[in-house]
Amino acid sequence: MNPTGSIRRRMTISLALVAALLSLLSWSMVASFARQAAERTQDNILAASATIIAEAIRSEGGEVRLELPYAAFAMLGAVSEDRVFYQIETAGEILTGYEDLTTGSIAPAAGEVRFETTEYLDVPLRMVRMTRTVLAGEEAVPVTVSLAQTRNGIGTIAGDLSETAAALSVAFFVLAVALTGFVAQLSLRPLNELAQAVARRGPTDLRPVRRQAPSELTPLIGSLNRFMERLAGSLRRSEEFIAEAAHRVRTPLATVRAQAEVALHGAQSHDDKQRLRQMIRAIDESSRSAGQLLDHATVAYRIEDLSRDTINLAELAASVAAALEPTAGLKDIEIRLETSDVATLGDKVLLESALRNVLDNAIKYSPDETQISLTVDQQGDMACLRICDQGPGLAGQSTTDLTKRFARGATVTDVVGSGLGLTIASEVLQAHGGGIELADNPKGQGACAILTLPKA
Amino acid sequence: MRYSDIAKGLILAVWASALPALEVEDRKSYPGEGGAMISVLSTADLDVFEPFIRQFQQDQPAIGVDYTVASSTEIYAAITEGMKFDIVLSSAMDLQFQLANDGYAQAYGSDATARLPDWAQWRDLVFAFTSEPAVAVISRERFSGIDLPATRQELISILRDYPERFDQSVGTYDVRTSGLGYLFATQEARNSDVFWRLSEVIGRLQPRLYCCSAQMIDDVISGELAIAYNVLGSYAERRRTQEGGDRMEILQLEDFGNNMLRTALIPRTAENVTGAGAFLDALILAGLAEEQTWAFPPLQPHARQGTPEFGPIRLGPALMVHLDPLTRRAFLSSWEDAMEQE
Ligand SMILES: Nc1ncnc2c1ncn2[C@@H]1O[C@H](COP(=O)(O)OP(=O)(O)OP(=O)(O)O)[C@@H](O)[C@H]1O
Ligand SMILES: [Mg+2]
């Protein structure tokens, strides 16, 4: 499955984007505040200086006099290295200073303090203008002080503060991204926990998930539970279908065989009898094939969803042997059980079917009045079932050959079979983490089948 | 290229007629090996400055130097009237500042300017390359038998106590004509009210007023003056090592000292900015040199050892205050009142 990106990454990235946006916003706000503060500071200093100058204006003998206060200008110089321009004007006449500094600007009324952003000698200026009324002789004369400064200083201050703010914003952003990663991890934890819980479940565990989970996961859990319910339903239907199919094939075959037997009894001629026997044998083959095919299908199906019950292999061997006892009895074959208590985890039905197929082979391919030994013991951490007979042996055929589907030995053409028995046994044992090994009996005549399974 | 004397004279004549505004005190051309020439306008006397120019040309043989000496006010007027010079050196830092403030200077930056302390430059427009104290110079002979004053207060008492001995024998700048004298006077007046009391006392002695430090010092050495008040320390120090120098003494007034910065700026109209920059760098490096390599005292924040720490006169808009015509008029009238009493 190819994942289409990661929620955690997506979360981290979008949160980081938000953090970046906020950082940028806070930086620009701080920078603009810094600029405003710097501008206000300059305004205040300009106003203070202009006030000092205005206060120094006096009249002497009916004439307006002024000695520029050193402090007023020193103050301007102390704060920044900005160029300073000034003008003192009384009733339209320039008393001193830069003559064209205030061209195009009307003098403020007495008592008013006015700030202007202008340009002079091609440089932008911040200018304060204030008017003070001085009594010159009998006459009240308005005197306007205009004091202007370039804005490099505030640019520098604002720039410095903006740089600091930028550094802080970057730090804030880095912190936010780190926290974002952490938050993403925290938010996704319930999802990971749910995934682990589902993964830990046994293959047949289709019970609905019942966990405490955040409300956002409720729809997912609901869908999962509904899906598992549907899956369980469809499994049940398949099982039913297989059982049904087996039944439907076998039943008519049984009827046909019964009729063929009856016909055989009534047959007079040798040829008829011969034909009918062949027919019965073919029916037997078909029936056996149908049974084994359906068995194989069942096995394949159950293997997909293997249950893990504790199974006592001694008990299992005994019950399978008991079930085949009548078949063996027909050939006067004795099955000798030699078992110790060993347990394995697995599907009882499957393991029974595997052992039955192997034991069935031993009986089927052994001559009458022989013995079959069935031992159950353990070797290391593996359980071991050994079935040895006194039959013809394997005639040099390997386990791999014989466990292939529909593979039958060349020596056994007169025995009815489908070639699926060992396939079933092998698949069952492999599914349980074990295996099957066929070999000629080292201690004499016959073949030995060794089934190994992990111990419980 | 070498200027023939005739050509030099011709140029001088043409130049003088075209720009009648500038009253040139002295002028000399130092041609370089290349065609490049920088025109320097300066208040410093030629003989004081020549060694530096020679040194500069040794390091930069390609650059010729055309050195013009004028008074600080002439220099200020010349630049504001648009005369073209590549670099302007002046002892009147207030006028230099005014030029920079009013946009007549262009910004310059280099490794050398970066080494200048903050107080020695303003906005990359004005650069200090020496700091020179204002001192008083006395004639040993005329002061014989009198304890040398250590403060201005003591100087006032001495002048008061021996009116006949100091009559017509006190020299100081005519602040009406000398930019540097005006700067020293205004700064001193700003620092202490002793200035006005001293001026009153000097005024009663029928003082002699000068345009320049050099003449004042010469008159002290000749014995014509008993004391020259507020002369340039660098000139006094230099003169002391020359002929007759033993007849004068530099007075260490301990109450406070004015420390003037000699400054350079590159006018906006400069034509050879690169050359001017090289010249300025050389000036700054000479000023910052640990060992004194030229006639000027090194750039340092304090006037003299032992005086209270009055830093150098600050390069800043406050320098414009006393250049304001109204303020100047008021100051001059007070000064005249003090100086010219019958
Ligand atoms: N115990 C045995 N002795 C000799 N040959 C055996 C023995 N067991 C298996 N074989 C050989 O292996 C072949 C495959 O066995 P397998 O059980 O898969 O098929 P089958 O017995 O022929 O058919 P069925 O599906 O009916 O069991 C047999 O045909 C036989 O030749
Ligand atoms: Mg078989």
Side-chain angles (χ1 to χ4, degrees), chain B residues 86-104:
Chain B
D86 293 325
I87 185 163
V88 175
L89 320 178
S90 173
S91 51
M93 57 193 287
D94 49 354
L95 291 172
Q96 293 279 85
F97 179 86
Q98 183 87 57
L99 285 177
N101 188 72
D102 295 357
Y104 291 105

Side-chain angles (χ1 to χ4, degrees), chain A residues 288 292 361 364-365 389 393 407-409 412 417-422:
Chain A
R288 176 71 182 166
Q292 288 288 78
N361 282 353
K364 205 157 66 171
Y365 300 117
D389 60 42
R408 302 211 63 207
V412 294
S418 69
L420 278 171
L422 286 180

Side-chain angles (χ1 to χ4, degrees), chain A residues 168-227:
Chain A
L168 282 176
S169 293
V170 168
F172 167 73
F173 172 71
V174 170
L175 187 74
V177 168
L179 286 177
T180 294
F182 175 68
V183 165
Q185 173 101 21
L186 204 70
S187 316
L188 289 176
R189 188 182 290 169
L191 199 61
N192 290 333
E193 282 173 356
L194 177 67
Q196 275 165 19
V198 173
R200 266 200 307 272
R201 286 193 162 204
T204 50
D205 190 353
L206 292 179
R207 285 171 300 144
V209 177
R210 303 227 180 279
R211 294 179 55 84
Q212 296 291 335
S215 59
E216 286 81 358
L217 288 185
T218 318
L220 176 67
I221 293 177
S223 313
L224 192 67
N225 286 346
R226 276 193 297 283
F227 174 72

